[in-house]
Amino acid sequence: MDLKGTCQIVKMNSFSEEDQSYLHLLYFPLMHSDAVLVYQVLLSLANKKEKYDQSFLIGLTFFSEVQFERARKVLENYNLLMTYYQPSTKHWVYQLYPPLNAHDFLTHDTFSRLFLKEMGSKHFDKMKLLFQEENVETKNMINVSSSLDLSRLDSWDEDNEDLYQRMVPKAKDGLKKYPFDFNEFFDGMERTLPQRIRSTENMTRIAELATIYGVTEKKMRTFVSRSLEDNKSTINFEKLRDLVMRSRNEFKESDGYSMAPIKYFSMKQRNVPVSKSDKTIIESLCTEYGFSFEVVNVLIDYVLAQTGQKFPKAFVEKVASTWVRLGVDSLEKAIEQTRGNTSLDNTYTYSRKVKTIDFSESFVEKEGEIEMDRDELLAQALAAQASLKED
């Protein structure tokens, strides 16, 4: 087949940090280096929303067309790549898929047998042990890892920074949506927080955490300082998030729905600290579902009212998913969704059909049949209500 023309590369499904381990330790012995290199090149170019010349793509691998096509077919054989071709326009589409995780690979009907035949039983057992899920304790050990030598940036000055700001790709201006004062945050942080790690991505995450959890700029300075690692070259955001979640947070605003959702939830329970599980659910409403604080806080009110002041994850996600589908993106739309449906008793009433579901009794079938808990019934009722509204 003629390999000339243009191509697009698309990542299918989500990729994780562990995928590289699976690729090199499990797939590599079966596919060898050519296929792995082509996969890495495709992965580097994926989802750029850009068409490439096939010659450019193949040139990045330093392979001939024959080598490239052979490697491509190997990737297809292991379900890491699907290739589509339009002869009339000579356009290719490469769809990349993540590797199977270790458990799925080592139990795959075909891949596991090929791996055993190629590597032998001892190596097979080593891989099973290597990928066993267990926490390795390093608390009482000394970190002797080498850090990147940043002395080359010692002479970095304002001219270098000006040039860098002109050359670096313009990032999306996502910081404006967070009411976080970076001037106050950076005050006194010249040496603590080097310019090289003040990327838009890092600052956005800091502002996001501070705003969701109601952490002041001053307190956030302390938390970020305690989360710096590798000679102040990286921010450990898992540690930062843990510090933020465990803190007793202050908040300046007191005007209801516009306050930080974690603070709002705490206020709903008489300022008792919010549990870690509830904090995680609320954070996901802001980050994964993309709701504004006003919408999240109305949703909190709605769920607490419907569940007798409980906050079940399954029900929260059902409500959130429905509101996303209904385009609830403002305070007004959120309040509209709750009108007529926020009674504090255990009865859920549809407004357009005479139908009532009573949750005062348990719905448990006899042995051998399905048990439906109250949260699941609530979720079903909400889904039915959403369906009625969409009619």
Side-chain angles (χ1 to χ4, degrees):
M1 184 178 291
D2 186 4
L3 295 184
K4 299 295 189 295
T6 58
C7 65
Q8 284 178 285
I9 307 161
V10 183
K11 281 195 291 190
M12 309 298 291
N13 303 332
S14 59
F15 286 70
S16 69
E17 293 180 3
E18 278 291 293
D19 289 340
Q20 291 295 323
S21 299
Y22 306 143
L23 181 68
H24 289 283
L25 297 178
L26 300 175
Y27 284 80
F28 182 87
L30 305 182
M31 301 191 309
H32 304 303
S33 58
D34 286 4
V36 172
L37 176 58
V38 170
Y39 187 81
Q40 297 284 23
V41 170
L42 291 171
L43 192 60
S44 299
L45 297 175
N47 287 359
K48 296 289 192 295
K49 296 182 180 180
E50 183 176 339
K51 292 182 179 181
Y52 302 99
D53 287 333
Q54 279 280 100
S55 58
F56 170 74
L57 172 61
I58 296 173
L60 291 177
T61 65
F62 297 97
F63 291 161
S64 66
E65 290 188 0
V66 173
Q67 284 178 290
F68 179 85
E69 188 167 19
R70 184 165 53 238
R72 189 203 82 205
K73 290 179 178 179
V74 172
L75 293 174
E76 293 163 358
N77 292 337
Y78 287 93
N79 301 327
L80 296 174
L81 178 67
M82 291 284 285
T83 306
Y84 297 87
Y85 179 62
Q86 176 53 258
S88 61
T89 59
K90 293 186 177 180
H91 183 63
W92 300 74
V93 173
Y94 298 111
Q95 293 182 347
L96 280 176
Y97 291 84
L100 295 176
N101 62 43
H103 176 269
D104 291 345
F105 182 94
L106 294 174
T107 57
H108 191 278
D109 286 343
T110 305
F111 299 166
S112 59
R113 287 176 170 83
L114 288 171
F115 192 80
L116 178 61
K117 187 175 186 299
E118 186 75 23
M119 304 304 296
S121 59
K122 289 185 178 180
H123 191 80
F124 195 98
D125 280 336
K126 284 182 180 179
M127 290 301 103
K128 285 197 300 183
L129 291 173
L130 180 64
F131 286 105
Q132 274 185 341
E133 292 186 2
E134 59 177 312
N135 295 322
V136 179
E137 181 59 58
T138 59
K139 184 177 180 180
N140 297 320
M141 300 178 70
I142 301 172
N143 186 349
V144 295
S145 307
S146 178
S147 301
L148 176 65
D149 181 9
L150 299 176
S151 60
R152 288 173 293 175
L153 292 177
D154 288 346
S155 60
W156 191 268
D157 56 21
E158 292 185 5
D159 291 337
N160 296 133
E161 183 62 25
D162 289 340
L163 176 61
Y164 171 78
Q165 292 298 335
R166 291 196 301 271
M167 297 298 295
V168 73
K170 297 300 179 184
K172 294 180 180 178
D173 195 4
L175 294 177
K176 289 184 178 179
K177 67 178 181 179
Y178 300 111
F180 187 76
D181 189 342
F182 275 100
N183 289 329
E184 182 176 348
F185 172 72
F186 287 136
D187 186 27
M189 294 280 281
E190 290 78 10
R191 295 185 178 180
T192 306
L193 192 66
Q195 188 71 43
R196 58 182 172 269
I197 61 172
R198 298 187 187 187
S199 65
T200 301
E201 181 180 1
N202 285 347
M203 295 305 103
T204 300
R205 184 63 176 140
I206 289 171
E208 180 182 70
L209 286 171
T211 309
I212 292 172
Y213 288 91
V215 178
T216 64
E217 290 82 358
K218 181 179 179 180
K219 187 177 286 187
M220 202 63 178
R221 283 204 302 265
T222 302
F223 291 159
V224 172
S225 298
R226 291 168 60 185
S227 303
L228 295 175
E229 294 183 349
D230 300 328
N231 197 23
K232 299 181 181 180
S233 64
T234 59
I235 302 173
N236 185 335
F237 278 103
E238 285 301 316
K239 181 177 181 180
L240 177 60
R241 182 171 177 268
D242 185 60
L243 290 171
V244 169
M245 290 185 76
R246 290 191 287 108
S247 68
R248 283 182 169 271
N249 304 324
E250 307 166 15
F251 202 74
K252 300 174 184 176
E253 296 188 50
S254 58
D255 51 348
Y257 288 134
S258 64
M259 71 171 60
I262 304 297
K263 175 62 178 178
Y264 185 82
F265 196 91
S266 176
M267 182 186 71
K268 300 294 290 185
Q269 54 190 35
R270 300 181 182 179
N271 294 320
V272 173
V274 182
S275 69
K276 186 174 181 178
S277 59
D278 287 343
K279 285 181 178 181
T280 302
I281 296 171
I282 294 170
E283 183 182 346
S284 73
L285 294 174
C286 299
T287 57
E288 296 178 23
Y289 291 89
F291 290 139
S292 66
F293 290 175
E294 291 88 351
V295 172
V296 171
N297 290 334
V298 173
L299 190 150
I300 288 171
D301 277 349
Y302 179 74
V303 170
L304 294 178
Q306 291 295 330
T307 61
Q309 300 304 304
K310 296 179 182 178
F311 202 62
K313 183 175 185 288
F315 185 47
V316 173
E317 291 177 345
K318 285 286 186 181
V319 177
S321 298
T322 302
W323 284 18
V324 168
R325 292 194 297 273
L326 294 174
V328 178
D329 56 7
S330 67
L331 175 61
E332 293 74 18
K333 291 181 181 178
I335 292 175
E336 180 64 29
Q337 288 300 313
T338 67
R339 284 178 178 165
N341 299 305
T342 55
S343 59
L344 295 176
D345 58 24
N346 285 332
T347 300
Y348 194 107
T349 305
Y350 299 116
S351 58
R352 291 181 60 184
K353 286 188 178 180
V354 182
K355 184 174 182 180
T356 301
I357 299 177
D358 187 358
F359 296 108
S360 59
E361 299 180 1
S362 61
F363 285 64
V364 182
E365 299 285 344
K366 294 182 179 179
E367 184 178 357
E369 297 182 356
I370 298 172
E371 178 180 318
M372 296 182 66
D373 62 18
R374 186 166 172 271
D375 294 344
E376 180 62 24
L377 289 169
L378 281 167
Q380 289 186 9
L382 182 72
Q385 180 203 22
S387 176
L388 290 172
K389 288 189 176 183
E390 291 174 340
D391 289 342

